[in-house]
Amino acid sequence: MDVNFIFKIAAIGIIVTVLNQLLIRSGREDQAMLTSLAGLIVVLLMVVTAIADLFSTIKRLFGL
Amino acid sequence: MTATVAKALAIVLISAVMVLSLTAQKGEFAFLVSLAAGAVVILQLINWVLPYIDTLETAFKKAGGISGYFTVSLKALAISYVTGFAADTCRDFGQSALAAKAEFAGKCAIFILCVSPAVNVLEAALRFAGI
């Protein structure tokens, strides 16, 4: 839950962008769309669990 | 002391660079990086500030009756920070309408939180005035 987490998400974003361009240039637009969708879902799940962890920590620490 | 602040500022600047590099092609990843960076920084700063809040709370506890209001204000502070976190991140990416909804939710939560102390103060005032 520190800087590595941010770097991981940024790395996935960049890889998905590159893959997307690669697939589009080679004529496979549908696979490009599916790849970026899959990347988005993976990153979304990671971020949602991190935000849930943040909110539960705040709730516990501040006694909400 | 300043090491924690420096670390938080470094994290913010690094993630700003990453958000900008990702915004060109993939806007949604930039939003997620910004959200994750906000969560990491807030979590680190809260863990840093918390022992001082505890000492303040124990000091207020000695004062007896007033400590109830301190915990209410602490909760309102926590709600406002979380709401601000969500609203600012949304506004950063152009969703000002959603940011307004998030802020409205935060205002409702704080309003509900502050009703009971307000009632107590009102009753005490009326009793004092003899009505």
Side-chain angles (χ1 to χ4, degrees), chain B residues 19 33 42 50-51 58 60 63-64 72 79 84 93 98-99 109 114 117 127 131:
Chain B
V19 164
V33 168
I42 282 188
L50 203 65
T58 45
F60 265 97
V72 168
I79 290 177
F93 285 87
L98 287 178
C114 294
R127 221 176 305 119
I131 297 167

Side-chain angles (χ1 to χ4, degrees), chain B residues 14-31:
Chain B
I14 290 170
S15 45
V17 168
M18 272 186 263
V19 164
L20 286 179
S21 69
L22 277 169
T23 311
Q25 282 91 11
K26 288 284 179 205
E28 57 270 18
F29 283 105
F31 178 76

